mmCIF file of all heavy atoms in Angstrom:
data_model
loop_
_atom_site.group_PDB
_atom_site.id
_atom_site.type_symbol
_atom_site.label_atom_id
_atom_site.label_comp_id
_atom_site.label_asym_id
_atom_site.label_seq_id
_atom_site.Cartn_x
_atom_site.Cartn_y
_atom_site.Cartn_z
ATOM 1 N N LEU A 696 25.932 -148.227 -32.354
ATOM 2 C CA LEU A 696 26.664 -149.348 -32.947
ATOM 3 C C LEU A 696 26.785 -149.027 -34.424
ATOM 4 O O LEU A 696 25.783 -148.965 -35.138
ATOM 5 C CB LEU A 696 25.858 -150.626 -32.710
ATOM 6 C CG LEU A 696 26.473 -151.975 -33.067
ATOM 7 C CD1 LEU A 696 27.787 -152.203 -32.337
ATOM 8 C CD2 LEU A 696 25.502 -153.090 -32.724
ATOM 9 N N VAL A 697 28.020 -148.783 -34.872
ATOM 10 C CA VAL A 697 28.196 -148.326 -36.242
ATOM 11 C C VAL A 697 29.063 -149.293 -37.051
ATOM 12 O O VAL A 697 29.849 -150.052 -36.483
ATOM 13 C CB VAL A 697 28.809 -146.904 -36.280
ATOM 14 C CG1 VAL A 697 27.919 -145.911 -35.555
ATOM 15 C CG2 VAL A 697 30.206 -146.886 -35.653
ATOM 16 N N GLY A 698 28.908 -149.235 -38.342
ATOM 17 C CA GLY A 698 29.671 -150.112 -39.227
ATOM 18 C C GLY A 698 28.966 -150.248 -40.563
ATOM 19 O O GLY A 698 27.815 -149.849 -40.717
ATOM 20 N N GLU A 699 29.691 -150.813 -41.530
ATOM 21 C CA GLU A 699 29.144 -150.950 -42.882
ATOM 22 C C GLU A 699 27.987 -151.943 -42.910
ATOM 23 O O GLU A 699 27.799 -152.712 -41.969
ATOM 24 C CB GLU A 699 30.241 -151.456 -43.821
ATOM 25 C CG GLU A 699 31.407 -150.502 -43.949
ATOM 26 C CD GLU A 699 32.661 -151.187 -44.475
ATOM 27 O OE1 GLU A 699 32.844 -152.385 -44.224
ATOM 28 O OE2 GLU A 699 33.455 -150.502 -45.128
ATOM 29 N N ASN A 700 27.271 -151.959 -44.032
ATOM 30 C CA ASN A 700 26.243 -152.979 -44.221
ATOM 31 C C ASN A 700 26.897 -154.350 -44.150
ATOM 32 O O ASN A 700 27.977 -154.556 -44.694
ATOM 33 C CB ASN A 700 25.581 -152.823 -45.597
ATOM 34 C CG ASN A 700 24.688 -151.603 -45.645
ATOM 35 O OD1 ASN A 700 24.059 -151.241 -44.655
ATOM 36 N ND2 ASN A 700 24.651 -150.957 -46.793
ATOM 37 N N GLY A 701 26.242 -155.278 -43.456
ATOM 38 C CA GLY A 701 26.781 -156.632 -43.391
ATOM 39 C C GLY A 701 27.904 -156.811 -42.382
ATOM 40 O O GLY A 701 28.525 -157.871 -42.331
ATOM 41 N N SER A 702 28.160 -155.795 -41.553
ATOM 42 C CA SER A 702 29.280 -155.909 -40.608
ATOM 43 C C SER A 702 28.905 -156.684 -39.344
ATOM 44 O O SER A 702 29.776 -157.111 -38.596
ATOM 45 C CB SER A 702 29.792 -154.520 -40.232
ATOM 46 O OG SER A 702 28.739 -153.726 -39.736
ATOM 47 N N GLY A 703 27.591 -156.865 -39.112
ATOM 48 C CA GLY A 703 27.160 -157.633 -37.950
ATOM 49 C C GLY A 703 26.350 -156.841 -36.941
ATOM 50 O O GLY A 703 26.051 -157.331 -35.845
ATOM 51 N N LYS A 704 25.966 -155.612 -37.305
ATOM 52 C CA LYS A 704 25.224 -154.746 -36.371
ATOM 53 C C LYS A 704 23.864 -155.346 -36.013
ATOM 54 O O LYS A 704 23.526 -155.502 -34.839
ATOM 55 C CB LYS A 704 25.003 -153.351 -36.977
ATOM 56 C CG LYS A 704 26.254 -152.619 -37.376
ATOM 57 C CD LYS A 704 25.974 -151.173 -37.723
ATOM 58 C CE LYS A 704 24.983 -150.959 -38.857
ATOM 59 N NZ LYS A 704 25.550 -151.225 -40.198
ATOM 60 N N SER A 705 23.080 -155.662 -37.054
ATOM 61 C CA SER A 705 21.730 -156.179 -36.810
ATOM 62 C C SER A 705 21.776 -157.526 -36.100
ATOM 63 O O SER A 705 20.950 -157.808 -35.231
ATOM 64 C CB SER A 705 20.963 -156.331 -38.120
ATOM 65 O OG SER A 705 20.783 -155.069 -38.700
ATOM 66 N N THR A 706 22.764 -158.350 -36.474
ATOM 67 C CA THR A 706 22.920 -159.653 -35.818
ATOM 68 C C THR A 706 23.138 -159.458 -34.315
ATOM 69 O O THR A 706 22.521 -160.139 -33.490
ATOM 70 C CB THR A 706 24.117 -160.416 -36.431
ATOM 71 O OG1 THR A 706 23.848 -160.622 -37.823
ATOM 72 C CG2 THR A 706 24.328 -161.750 -35.750
ATOM 73 N N THR A 707 24.000 -158.506 -33.962
ATOM 74 C CA THR A 707 24.266 -158.235 -32.546
ATOM 75 C C THR A 707 22.968 -157.903 -31.814
ATOM 76 O O THR A 707 22.680 -158.443 -30.738
ATOM 77 C CB THR A 707 25.261 -157.055 -32.419
ATOM 78 O OG1 THR A 707 26.406 -157.346 -33.192
ATOM 79 C CG2 THR A 707 25.661 -156.826 -30.974
ATOM 80 N N LEU A 708 22.167 -157.020 -32.407
ATOM 81 C CA LEU A 708 20.914 -156.625 -31.769
ATOM 82 C C LEU A 708 19.958 -157.805 -31.616
ATOM 83 O O LEU A 708 19.344 -158.000 -30.562
ATOM 84 C CB LEU A 708 20.244 -155.512 -32.588
ATOM 85 C CG LEU A 708 20.251 -154.123 -31.952
ATOM 86 C CD1 LEU A 708 21.663 -153.726 -31.580
ATOM 87 C CD2 LEU A 708 19.626 -153.076 -32.851
ATOM 88 N N LYS A 709 19.851 -158.599 -32.683
ATOM 89 C CA LYS A 709 18.929 -159.743 -32.639
ATOM 90 C C LYS A 709 19.353 -160.757 -31.583
ATOM 91 O O LYS A 709 18.511 -161.365 -30.922
ATOM 92 C CB LYS A 709 18.855 -160.420 -34.007
ATOM 93 C CG LYS A 709 17.922 -159.668 -34.935
ATOM 94 C CD LYS A 709 17.832 -160.337 -36.288
ATOM 95 C CE LYS A 709 17.134 -159.408 -37.272
ATOM 96 N NZ LYS A 709 17.612 -159.623 -38.640
ATOM 97 N N LEU A 710 20.652 -160.933 -31.426
ATOM 98 C CA LEU A 710 21.125 -161.876 -30.412
ATOM 99 C C LEU A 710 20.798 -161.361 -29.004
ATOM 100 O O LEU A 710 20.375 -162.125 -28.138
ATOM 101 C CB LEU A 710 22.643 -162.090 -30.543
ATOM 102 C CG LEU A 710 23.133 -162.853 -31.778
ATOM 103 C CD1 LEU A 710 24.642 -162.942 -31.777
ATOM 104 C CD2 LEU A 710 22.520 -164.243 -31.851
ATOM 105 N N ILE A 711 20.973 -160.066 -28.787
ATOM 106 C CA ILE A 711 20.676 -159.505 -27.462
ATOM 107 C C ILE A 711 19.176 -159.573 -27.186
ATOM 108 O O ILE A 711 18.741 -159.794 -26.058
ATOM 109 C CB ILE A 711 21.180 -158.045 -27.353
ATOM 110 C CG1 ILE A 711 22.708 -157.995 -27.517
ATOM 111 C CG2 ILE A 711 20.779 -157.422 -26.015
ATOM 112 C CD1 ILE A 711 23.278 -156.596 -27.650
ATOM 113 N N ALA A 712 18.374 -159.418 -28.262
ATOM 114 C CA ALA A 712 16.913 -159.451 -28.102
ATOM 115 C C ALA A 712 16.398 -160.875 -27.934
ATOM 116 O O ALA A 712 15.199 -161.081 -27.692
ATOM 117 C CB ALA A 712 16.249 -158.793 -29.306
ATOM 118 N N GLY A 713 17.267 -161.864 -28.091
ATOM 119 C CA GLY A 713 16.837 -163.254 -27.948
ATOM 120 C C GLY A 713 16.092 -163.775 -29.173
ATOM 121 O O GLY A 713 15.418 -164.792 -29.112
ATOM 122 N N LEU A 714 16.214 -163.060 -30.300
ATOM 123 C CA LEU A 714 15.517 -163.474 -31.518
ATOM 124 C C LEU A 714 16.349 -164.464 -32.318
ATOM 125 O O LEU A 714 15.905 -165.016 -33.310
ATOM 126 C CB LEU A 714 15.208 -162.249 -32.393
ATOM 127 C CG LEU A 714 14.304 -161.208 -31.742
ATOM 128 C CD1 LEU A 714 14.240 -159.946 -32.584
ATOM 129 C CD2 LEU A 714 12.905 -161.770 -31.541
ATOM 130 N N ASN A 715 17.580 -164.652 -31.871
ATOM 131 C CA ASN A 715 18.504 -165.537 -32.545
ATOM 132 C C ASN A 715 19.514 -166.020 -31.507
ATOM 133 O O ASN A 715 19.720 -165.341 -30.508
ATOM 134 C CB ASN A 715 19.221 -164.743 -33.645
ATOM 135 C CG ASN A 715 19.386 -165.576 -34.886
ATOM 136 O OD1 ASN A 715 19.545 -166.797 -34.801
ATOM 137 N ND2 ASN A 715 19.366 -164.922 -36.034
ATOM 138 N N HIS A 716 20.110 -167.183 -31.739
ATOM 139 C CA HIS A 716 21.039 -167.728 -30.743
ATOM 140 C C HIS A 716 22.470 -167.662 -31.209
ATOM 141 O O HIS A 716 22.750 -167.891 -32.382
ATOM 142 C CB HIS A 716 20.705 -169.196 -30.455
ATOM 143 C CG HIS A 716 19.325 -169.379 -29.937
ATOM 144 N ND1 HIS A 716 18.961 -168.948 -28.688
ATOM 145 C CD2 HIS A 716 18.222 -169.906 -30.497
ATOM 146 C CE1 HIS A 716 17.679 -169.225 -28.509
ATOM 147 N NE2 HIS A 716 17.196 -169.789 -29.596
ATOM 148 N N PRO A 717 23.387 -167.378 -30.305
ATOM 149 C CA PRO A 717 24.794 -167.403 -30.703
ATOM 150 C C PRO A 717 25.248 -168.833 -30.987
ATOM 151 O O PRO A 717 24.745 -169.774 -30.364
ATOM 152 C CB PRO A 717 25.538 -166.827 -29.491
ATOM 153 C CG PRO A 717 24.597 -166.874 -28.355
ATOM 154 C CD PRO A 717 23.210 -166.989 -28.890
#
Side-chain angles (χ1 to χ4, degrees):
Chain A
L696 188 57
V697 301
E699 297 160 330
N700 288 326
S702 55
K704 302 190 301 284
S705 296
T706 299
T707 306
L708 251 54
K709 279 181 192 150
L710 291 178
I711 298 171
L714 299 171
N715 220 328
H716 301 290

